[in-house]
Amino acid sequence: MLHTLSIDELGRRLSLGELSSVELTQHFLARIERLNPSLNAVITPTPEQALSDAAVADRRRAAGDKAPLLGIPLIHKDIFCTDGVRTSCGSRMLDNFIAPYDATVVARLKAAGAVMLGKANMDEFAMGSSNETSYYGPVKNPWDLSKVPGGSSGGSAAAAAARLAAYTTGTDTGGSIRQPAALTGVTGVKPTYGRVSRYGMIAFASSLDQAGVLAESAADAALVLQAMAGFDPLDSTSVDAPVPDYHATLGTPLKGLRLGLLREFFEGLEPRNAALIRDAIEVYTALGATTVEVSLPHLPMSVPTYYVVAPAECSSNLSRFDGVRFGYRCSHPKDLMDLYKRSRGEGFGAEVKRRIMTGTYVLSAGYFDAYYLKAQKVRRLITDDFRAAFAQVDLVIGPTTPTPAFGIGAKMDDPITMYLNDIYTIGANLAGLPGVSMPCGFVDGLPMGLQLIGPHFGEGPLLNAAHQYQQATDWHRRRPSGYE
Amino acid sequence: MRTRSAPKTVHMSLTRQDVEKIAHLARLEITDQEMPVYVTSLSSIVNFVDELARADTKDTLPMAHPLTGQHQRLRPDAVTEADRHEKYQANAPSVQAGLYVVPRVIE
């Protein structure tokens, strides 16, 4: 079946003429039509554009173009601006917004010949860990339709797990690629801050946001990241450093790799989850890795630090939604203040308003030092802890989430319980580090994620370590029933 | 990892008046039905982040950017973009003669 093949294998068949991009695109479009109604993972399908882009890709290939992503279909998270296509960010605020340009991620993948099948559902403005805050309704987890897929890239994760596309894009501000990847049993990669351009990616928390990829395997993700990464003068925080060939280093033996076991990651971890992580560590030691116990004493402060820094940046970023230049406007405003307040009050959902108000509070006169400045200082302590750890080890290993996917509606009444879902992922965002989540087993029939975190710009070794694990195991090949 | 979870009963660190002021600063209309939920949930978030006070940061500089050694790039002060205001304004709720229309602000 075409949707079970790797990007490499699809590329081989396309090159040999055994398959056309139009046929491959039709195959995935048919899967979306059949499987998406129960998942709600795709909110804006773009079939006509996809088929015409596929025909262009077929002509490019016939002319000798061998780009690895040429003619391979993907789904973009609806946070990336797509020229001429609705870009809603999961919000009523942007329900009618047609992006007037492409995000750099979109433009680069287009140039690489990627075929966009549509736009994926997501938590509103990427604020959520369950994909339940979307204006377009929750996304269902293909492993159990009564469970959440995680968030905020929940539509991207569910679509990747259900194989509605060869791969999907996502963004990760506090775990929004890795946590849903874990909960849906796919491989999710969050690169180093600054590795992938944020231009045209609707901003949530600018010092934390980073674009990445969700795919079946680390090998597939490496090909996609290769096309996405690199310097972009349009993003002032984009880093001007060469992008190594990620695919070329995937065969590197792991002998001598020093894996850091974070003491804080294993404290209080549920026993069945801990057992899966220990099994994965044994796979690595069998491959020649050694383990070192390391401690990040300030890591337990990462969730409260994040819930000051991220809302503060969000309250500033989302001030652009004013009901004047684009986006939702309330009906019959009686004056300008009423227009601002009701457009924002009606256009934003409950969680987005909660975060804007949290951010407004921690930045307000009299509270700035106690909250925002204090959180920025603790952020440095956490980052310094990671730096000290990477002086002793090459990669850090642990769980991605405390539990497998939870029930839809189970955590919506208590924001703090929801926020604590990202307890293992937020540290990497605060420190700007790259991270990977990949499936490592099941608890109660639901996939669990293994997380690897590397030093800044360590994507190559990180992807290789994930790839070696996936050569030795087949958890990433398991598929939810009904989506084989 | 043990981060202190929220206590069962929320100490109301914010009053309704506090939340009304925050909502005004953030230019958000909050309805009467929504208000009690925000008073409770914002109070619990403030209690939760109060945990930060326990960290010793007296010799620590605040960190605004996750990478060290980065600097703001400069470019020549030249026009680099074409005028695309018609395309951008196609998304505006109300436009007349190339101008964004808002309720009267000067009486």
Side-chain angles (χ1 to χ4, degrees), chain A residues 130 132-133 350-351 354 406-419, chain B residues 6-8 10 36-38 40-42 44-45:
Chain A
S130 65
E132 292 169 285
T133 71
E351 181 61 22
R354 178 157 35 237
F406 46 90
I408 291 172
K411 298 189 180 186
M412 279 305 270
D413 295 337
D414 179 5
I416 303 290
T417 310
M418 185 70 92
Y419 296 172
Chain B
K8 288 276 176 285
V10 177
V37 179
Y38 284 119
T40 310
S41 62
L42 289 172
S44 73
I45 291 167

Side-chain angles (χ1 to χ4, degrees), chain A residues 48-117:
Chain A
E48 293 88 11
Q49 187 64 43
L51 288 168
S52 101
D53 290 352
V56 171
D58 282 334
R59 285 198 291 277
R60 271 176 68 178
R61 204 171 275 274
D65 193 337
K66 288 186 163 47
L69 301 181
L70 180 60
I72 314 271
L74 90 158
I75 293 168
H76 277 301
K77 184 176 183 178
D78 206 21
I79 199 168
F80 293 103
C81 283
T82 41
D83 195 359
V85 177
R86 181 178 73 165
T87 301
S88 73
C89 221
S91 182
R92 182 186 194 189
M93 183 60 86
L94 291 175
D95 184 46
N96 59 3
F97 180 72
I98 309 296
Y101 58 89
D102 278 332
T104 297
V105 162
V106 172
R108 285 190 181 208
L109 288 169
K110 242 184 211 178
V115 172
M116 181 177 86
L117 302 169

Side-chain angles (χ1 to χ4, degrees), chain A residues 31-301:
Chain A
R31 280 184 76 76
I32 292 174
E33 204 172 303
R34 182 163 64 87
L35 300 168
N36 190 58
S38 59
L39 293 172
N40 197 26
V42 181
I43 48 178
T44 310
T46 53
E48 293 88 11
Q49 187 64 43
L51 288 168
S52 101
D53 290 352
V56 171
D58 282 334
R59 285 198 291 277
R60 271 176 68 178
R61 204 171 275 274
D65 193 337
K66 288 186 163 47
L69 301 181
L70 180 60
I72 314 271
L74 90 158
I75 293 168
H76 277 301
K77 184 176 183 178
D78 206 21
I79 199 168
F80 293 103
C81 283
T82 41
D83 195 359
V85 177
R86 181 178 73 165
T87 301
S88 73
C89 221
S91 182
R92 182 186 194 189
M93 183 60 86
L94 291 175
D95 184 46
N96 59 3
F97 180 72
I98 309 296
Y101 58 89
D102 278 332
T104 297
V105 162
V106 172
R108 285 190 181 208
L109 288 169
K110 242 184 211 178
V115 172
M116 181 177 86
L117 302 169
K119 308 286 297 283
N121 202 346
M122 55 181 285
D123 276 303
E124 184 180 8
F125 284 102
M127 297 172 200
S129 304
S130 65
N131 216 116
E132 292 169 285
T133 71
S134 169
Y135 177 58
Y136 304 97
V139 175
K140 316 289 170 54
N141 190 321
W143 290 92
D144 177 344
L145 296 178
S146 72
K147 299 285 197 284
V148 303
S152 68
S153 310
S156 300
R163 303 300 291 164
L164 303 185
Y167 65 94
T168 62
T169 57
T171 59
D172 193 316
T173 303
S176 281
I177 288 173
R178 290 160 290 153
Q179 185 258 13
L183 269 40
T184 58
V186 302
T187 304
V189 181
K190 174 233 177 263
T192 306
Y193 181 81
R195 179 78 289 185
V196 175
S197 171
R198 294 186 295 109
Y199 179 75
M201 184 177 115
I202 296 170
F204 160 15
S206 302
S207 80
L208 301 160
D209 296 343
Q210 182 59 202
V213 49
L214 299 101
E216 183 175 274
S217 68
D220 283 357
L223 288 171
V224 179
L225 182 60
Q226 196 75 45
M228 291 169 70
F231 176 62
D232 178 11
L234 297 174
D235 170 4
S236 68
T237 58
S238 169
V239 174
D240 193 356
V243 181
D245 186 340
Y246 299 128
H247 209 255
T249 52
L250 287 184
T252 315
L254 295 186
K255 192 163 171 42
L257 179 83
R258 297 168 303 168
L259 276 183
L261 275 50
L262 282 189
R263 191 175 306 147
E264 290 76 14
F265 270 18
F266 290 91
E267 281 172 5
L269 187 61
E270 202 255 325
R272 288 182 299 171
N273 192 355
L276 294 179
I277 304 301
R278 304 241 173 251
D279 289 348
I281 292 166
E282 275 181 33
V283 171
Y284 275 107
T285 48
L287 289 168
T290 57
T291 57
V292 184
E293 190 170 311
V294 289
S295 173
L296 274 63
H298 298 96
L299 198 63
M301 292 254 181

Side-chain angles (χ1 to χ4, degrees), chain A residues 391-477:
Chain A
Q392 298 175 62
V393 301
D394 300 307
L395 299 173
V396 159
I397 190 167
T400 309
T401 63
T403 63
F406 46 90
I408 291 172
K411 298 189 180 186
M412 279 305 270
D413 295 337
D414 179 5
I416 303 290
T417 310
M418 185 70 92
Y419 296 172
L420 287 170
N421 228 277
D422 295 331
I423 189 164
Y424 299 123
T425 49
I426 277 174
N429 298 85
L430 291 170
L433 301 166
V436 168
S437 176
M438 59 183 164
C440 66
F442 291 83
V443 168
D444 296 331
L446 294 166
M448 288 296 304
L450 174 72
Q451 185 180 208
L452 298 172
I453 300 172
H456 290 137
F457 301 102
E459 286 83 0
L462 195 61
L463 287 163
N464 177 52
H467 178 67
Q468 297 300 322
Y469 177 80
Q470 294 182 334
Q471 295 296 102
T473 60
D474 70 347
W475 298 115
H476 64 295
R477 299 259 177 245

Side-chain angles (χ1 to χ4, degrees), chain A residues 83 96-98 100-101 192-193 207 231-233 235-239 264-265 267-268 299-301 303-305 307-308 323-327 329 333 335-337 339-342 344-345 348-350 353-354 356-358 360-361 371 373-381 383 387 415-416 419-420 423-424 430-432 456-457, chain B residues 1-6 13-14 18-31 34-35 37-38 40-42 44-68 70-73 75 80-81 84 87-95 100-105 107:
Chain A
D83 195 359
N96 59 3
F97 180 72
I98 309 296
Y101 58 89
T192 306
Y193 181 81
S207 80
F231 176 62
D232 178 11
D235 170 4
S236 68
T237 58
S238 169
V239 174
E264 290 76 14
F265 270 18
E267 281 172 5
L299 198 63
M301 292 254 181
V303 183
T305 301
Y307 278 97
V308 171
V324 174
R325 292 160 302 151
F326 50 85
R329 175 183 286 197
D335 55 28
L336 194 58
M337 183 61 86
L339 184 154
Y340 289 150
K341 285 189 170 179
R342 278 201 295 125
R344 290 164 60 77
F348 291 134
K353 285 186 274 194
R354 178 157 35 237
I356 291 173
M357 287 195 281
T358 305
T360 303
Y361 178 70
Y371 292 110
L373 205 63
K374 182 78 182 181
Q376 283 190 307
K377 290 176 179 177
V378 181
R379 184 177 181 184
R380 183 177 298 281
L381 293 175
T383 305
R387 186 169 296 122
I416 303 290
Y419 296 172
L420 287 170
I423 189 164
Y424 299 123
L430 291 170
H456 290 137
F457 301 102
Chain B
M1 185 154 49
R2 294 193 175 92
T3 293
R4 281 203 279 182
S5 53
S13 45
L14 298 176
D18 292 331
V19 177
E20 283 171 351
K21 183 177 171 230
I22 296 164
H24 171 69
L25 290 172
R27 301 295 186 264
L28 286 170
E29 177 86 10
I30 301 297
T31 64
E34 292 174 302
M35 188 54 80
V37 179
Y38 284 119
T40 310
S41 62
L42 289 172
S44 73
I45 291 167
V46 168
N47 295 345
F48 179 67
V49 301
D50 273 338
E51 164 100 2
L52 292 173
R54 299 197 305 132
D56 177 4
T57 56
K58 68 177 184 301
D59 298 320
T60 311
L61 291 171
M63 174 177 149
H65 192 294
L67 302 174
T68 53
Q70 300 296 310
H71 56 89
Q72 287 292 319
R73 290 185 300 274
R75 60 166 176 79
T80 55
E81 290 197 35
R84 296 201 288 171
K87 192 171 186 188
Y88 295 155
Q89 288 191 328
N91 275 305
S94 180
V95 170
Y100 296 97
V101 179
V102 295
R104 179 188 293 273
V105 287
E107 293 301 328

